Amino acid sequence: ITRVGVFTSGGDAPGMNAAIRAVVRTALYNGKKVTGIYHGYQGMIDSTMFDMDSRSVSSIIQKGGTVLKTARCMEFKTVEGRAKAYENVRAAGIDALVAIGGDGTFTGAEIFSREFDIPVMCIPGTIDNDLNGTDLTIGYDTANNTVIDAIDKIRDTAASHNRLFFVEVMGRDSGCIALNAGVAGGAEAILLPEKETAIDELIEMLEHAADRKKSSMIVIVAEGDKNGGANNVAKRVNEKFDYYDTKVSILGHLQRGGAPSSADRVLATRMGYSAVNELLKGNTRATIGIRGSEMVTTPLEEALSKKELKLNQDLVEIAKIMAL
Ligand code: ADP
C-alpha cells in the first residue's frame, strides 16, 4: 500500500471528521500518502479528490458533519459507474480505501473491492447504531446527548402546562436512540420498532401515570415504530384519552448535527487508527467495530448478512420500572 483513499458516504454523523483525521494521521505516520475523496462514491466517479497532509485535518475533530462531504450516488450501483470510479481511483494512485458510512456504503465497498481487487476497510458512522459487527457506531452517543437535551427542554414546558408530549426521534429501524434517550430523559413510555406496543396498552400506561398525578408525560416514539410516527400515535391516543393537553414534537435533522461528544471523538479516533493498521496488516473487505472496550474487525459479507439485535433487553424492562 502506498496511498490510502478516504471518503464519507451515505448519511452524515457527528464524529466522522474525527475518523477522517485519524485515518489521515495514522497513514502519514506509517509513511503512506493519503487522498481525500469528496462526496463519497460520487467523488470517485467525478474525480473530485485531493492530496491530504497532516494540516488538511487540523481543527476538525470538534466539528459535526463531514469536511469531505457526503452523497448518495446512484451511478455507483451500476457496473459502468464503478468501472469509471476505479479508473479514477487508479489514476490517482490510490491502492487502498477507507470508507466511513452506513449499510449502503458498506455494500458498495464490498462489491467494489471484490470487482477490482482493491483493499477496503469500513468504519461504521451513523447516529442510528444499526450496523452489525460493532456495539457502537460513530455519532450515536452525540445523537443521544442531543435528544436528551431536547427532552429536558420539552419537560420544562410540559410540566408547566401539565402536558402530554409525543417526541419522535430518529433511528430508522433501530430503537437504540429512543430507548437510551428515553431512559436518560425519564420518559413515561417508549415506543420501539423492535417491540410493538398496542395503542390500548400505551393508553393504559398513560392512565396509570395520570392516576399518580404526574405533572407532565413524555412518550418517546422511535421513527421506525409500527404505529406510524408520533403524529399518528398522538391522534389515536387522543381519541380515547383526553386527560392532558397533547403536543407532538418531531426532532428531525437536528439530531444529526452538532459537535461530537467526547465518547464519539475517542471512538472515531480509535476506529480510524485501527482501519489503517488493519489495511497495513493485509486485512481487507471488513468493518472495524468495538466490542466492550476492544477493537475488532468483521468481514463485510458477515456484517451485511446477519442482523444483530442491538437493543439492550434489560434496559427495556428497567425503562418500564423507572416510569412508575
Ligand atoms: P448509508 O451508507 O448511510 O447506509 P446509503 O444507503 O445511501 O447510505 O448508501 C450510500 C451509498 O453507497 C449509495 O448512495 C451508493 O452510492 C452506495 N451503495 C449502496 N448500495 C449499493 C449497492 N448495492 N451497490 C453499489 N453501491 C451501493
Side-chain angles (χ1 to χ4, degrees):
I1 294 172
T2 58
R3 181 178 284 274
V4 177
V6 60
F7 62 96
T8 49
S9 161
D12 65 309
M16 280 182 162
N17 285 326
I20 295 167
R21 173 176 175 271
V23 168
V24 171
R25 294 206 169 152
T26 306
L28 294 174
Y29 172 78
N30 285 285
K32 308 301 170 190
K33 295 194 167 76
V34 186
T35 296
I37 303 165
Y38 281 116
H39 305 290
Y41 294 117
Q42 192 65 51
M44 291 185 189
I45 292 172
D46 301 341
S47 206
T48 44
M49 311 179 188
F50 69 108
D51 191 55
M52 295 183 89
D53 62 20
S54 200
R55 297 285 75 74
S56 312
V57 289
S58 294
S59 283
I60 65 168
I61 193 168
Q62 74 277 24
K63 291 192 174 124
T66 159
V67 295
L68 290 179
K69 312 280 182 169
T70 183
R72 304 208 193 258
C73 172
M74 288 308 135
E75 207 179 336
F76 197 75
K77 292 190 179 180
T78 66
V79 184
E80 299 76 35
R82 290 194 297 274
K84 202 160 152 202
Y86 183 67
E87 223 174 89
N88 292 333
V89 161
R90 253 184 67 126
I94 296 167
D95 49 12
L97 289 166
V98 176
I100 307 167
D103 248 342
T105 301
F106 288 16
T107 305
E110 208 270 337
I111 293 170
F112 191 64
S113 168
R114 243 184 317 110
E115 242 167 15
F116 298 101
D117 200 26
I118 182 165
V120 63
M121 199 52 62
C122 290
I123 296 178
T126 164
I127 64 162
D128 302 333
N129 202 34
D130 60 351
L131 299 176
N132 301 328
T134 188
D135 294 344
L136 298 166
T137 58
I138 296 169
Y140 171 59
D141 183 68
T142 304
N144 274 324
N145 288 322
T146 302
V147 173
I148 63 161
D149 194 43
I151 296 173
D152 288 350
K153 287 171 177 156
I154 289 170
R155 179 75 73 183
D156 289 344
T157 174
S160 304
H161 291 271
N162 278 15
R163 268 178 185 154
L164 164 61
F165 260 90
F166 293 88
V167 181
E168 185 175 304
V169 304
M170 280 184 170
R172 291 206 295 185
D173 293 330
S174 162
C176 284
I177 292 178
L179 178 62
N180 277 274
V183 168
E188 272 61 38
I190 306 169
L191 302 188
L192 302 165
E194 294 89 344
K195 198 179 159 296
E196 281 183 45
T197 307
I199 295 294
D200 286 341
E201 193 186 330
L202 174 61
I203 290 173
E204 229 171 81
M205 284 154 75
L206 296 177
E207 279 169 348
H208 197 60
D211 288 346
R212 278 170 289 126
K213 306 260 177 298
K214 290 218 174 194
S215 62
S216 65
M217 289 199 273
I218 292 182
V219 177
I220 304 295
V221 184
E223 70 175 330
D225 171 64
K226 305 291 186 292
N227 294 298
N231 276 316
N232 264 310
V233 174
K235 197 165 145 261
R236 289 172 61 195
V237 167
N238 268 335
E239 285 164 5
K240 296 187 185 167
F241 177 80
D242 59 1
Y243 184 86
Y244 282 81
D245 184 15
T246 303
K247 297 283 176 206
V248 174
S249 183
I250 295 170
L251 299 186
H253 280 80
L254 66 86
Q255 295 165 92
R256 289 257 284 266
S261 67
S262 159
D264 271 332
R265 295 182 201 191
V266 174
L267 178 68
T269 301
R270 291 182 73 187
M271 286 182 162
Y273 170 84
S274 290
V276 172
N277 281 314
E278 288 296 330
L279 281 173
L280 296 179
K281 275 195 284 180
N283 195 353
T284 179
R285 234 166 283 160
T287 175
I288 300 295
I290 188 165
R291 295 291 191 201
S293 61
E294 296 294 312
M295 303 310 291
V296 297
T297 63
T298 305
L300 285 178
E301 217 171 5
E302 188 184 325
L304 289 166
S305 59
K306 64 165 211 267
K307 182 97 188 112
E308 281 172 30
L309 181 64
K310 286 290 180 57
L311 210 65
N312 183 323
Q313 294 305 304
D314 291 341
L315 201 53
V316 174
E317 289 313 306
I318 293 169
K320 280 190 202 147
I321 295 167
M322 292 306 122
L324 288 176

